[in-house]
Amino acid sequence: TMAIGGSNHPEGDAEDSLTGELATMTSDDAWVLSHTFLSAGAALLAGGLWLAYRHRSWPRITLRALHIAAITMSLYFVETIFHLASVIDSDALASGDTAPVASAHVALAIGLYPISGLTFAWLNTRVIAAASLPMKTFGVVGIVAGLLHATSVPLTLLFPDTEFSGVFASAGILLAVWSLGMGVGGFRGSQQRGTDSDDSADRYRSAEAGLWGSLDARPTERWVELAQLGVRVRVQEMGDGDPVIFLHGGPSAGTTWAPLAAELPDVRSIIVDRPGTGLSDPFVVTARTLDTFADRFVIDLLDALELDRANVVASSFGGFLALRAAAIAPHRFDRMVQMACPAGAPGMAVPSFMRAAAIGPVRRLITALPPSERAARSMLCQIGHAKTVDAGGISTEFMTWYLSLQRDTATMRNDLHTIGSLVTPSGSVHSALALSDDLLRRIDVPTAFYWGADDPFGGGDVAQRMVDLMGDAELEMVADAGHLPWLDDPAGAARAVRTFLGTQRRSTSAPMSQTVR
């Protein structure tokens, strides 16, 4: 809308006085068209800035400038209304009569154009400081747009004999380029951490502590550096016994394991926030980078934890990462439990919400909208937990944590970006995510699949194929359980984990038993 409005801005007569020039431009039929679009664009831009500030979706270094820019752009929108309405004074301007609306427009423009333009330019100096390299380009565009916007009215007043309509038009067009670039591209922060402000992190920790407290659990926290990937991740630990690493799926974070880990005090639960989720450092995985990430993440984590080997409990995308690592480095695993369908399983289905994430504008709309408990419950129902949700089996503390995860961390934005690059709207899966038959046959780690019968990603046929391909695997199909089966029955899932991890490693490669509960 700004590009249309700016490019259609009528030209004045530089030989006239300011009043005469306004009379010439307001009498042009293009005045109403151009300023209607400019007003709409100003409203959208101000609204976008307010939305970004409200949700703290930009790095902390930008927030003060973002707040002030949202205020000044809102005031500039008010000025555009007077700007548009000046058309009613066209005849008065031409005849030299009193023109109150046009006079109010000029007075507001003298003050608001420089203020809003310079504030916008200042905001973009913060964008350049915080953004990754591709997005710095839009920061430069924003600075130029802000400076042109700020100087357009003063130049017109200082040099009435010179035509500056092109400056107004260029400012509008560059604001459009900036808005589209930042909106479509999304903010790629080089200094942005897992949460965007200390307040957000505090809110998230508070919600997380409420969930752990409701389960009578108090994990400790530490940070480890993944040397190969070059990123810090947060680890929560609790319990005593053999180490068990918990790898979550997405969009989620490590604390999704809380109901299960709280039932396992006899093991040393090591719960990691995957890079880009929870409180870990920002890190976005795409189809192009997935192979490298998948080959390194689990092994990098074991090295950082100074563990030669460990048991692994994994789910969904975490299950994919665990299987990839087990195929490459089986000597780093003792035993593995796969909770329901791992991402990339042969024959895996793709639920509708994941297909929607493959459509860029839809994905950005999802992450921009404020999270709600109703939407969160709907999401749980879509992944197979409708019976538990309807029965009130999801605690208030869990929902509070889950909403805070969406609101106060970058998890949803990062993970939905990853999902969007790995699936298509039609439901097909990128080859980088596929667990091939050959890879599954190479895995020589004793594995138990604890598979929810209501998992929409894959049913019993998908589960059976996984077991048949792997040489040392067993399957338990769990009735009335979904994609995260421990949410439906934490105690039952804990018994299954404890039983499997407590048995001795088999010396043969014969398939284990299959049971249905």
Side-chain angles (χ1 to χ4, degrees), residues 58-66 122-123 125-131 187 191-192 196:
W58 287 14
R60 186 182 179 189
I61 190 176
T62 68
L63 291 182
R64 183 183 178 192
L66 183 61
W122 173 48
L123 168 63
T125 64
R126 303 290 82 201
V127 169
I128 290 174
F187 203 109
Q191 298 182 10
Q192 184 179 13
D196 298 313

Side-chain angles (χ1 to χ4, degrees), residues 359-440:
I359 305 172
V362 175
R363 181 175 68 249
R364 281 180 279 279
L365 176 62
I366 292 171
T367 56
L369 292 173
S372 69
E373 183 169 343
R374 180 179 179 181
R377 292 184 181 278
S378 174
M379 178 73 72
L380 289 172
C381 291
Q382 289 183 57
I383 60 173
H385 302 288
K387 295 173 184 176
T388 300
V389 170
D390 291 343
I394 305 297
S395 70
T396 299
E397 292 83 5
F398 186 91
M399 294 305 303
T400 299
W401 164 77
Y402 188 55
L403 290 172
S404 180
L405 177 76
Q406 297 177 52
R407 182 185 301 113
D408 299 318
T409 78
T411 301
M412 289 293 287
R413 184 169 64 253
N414 292 338
D415 269 4
L416 286 180
H417 185 77
T418 298
I419 291 169
S421 76
L422 294 173
V423 302
T424 68
S426 64
S428 61
V429 176
H430 194 281
S431 58
L433 186 64
L435 293 167
S436 68
D437 291 0
D438 179 64
L439 181 143
L440 293 172

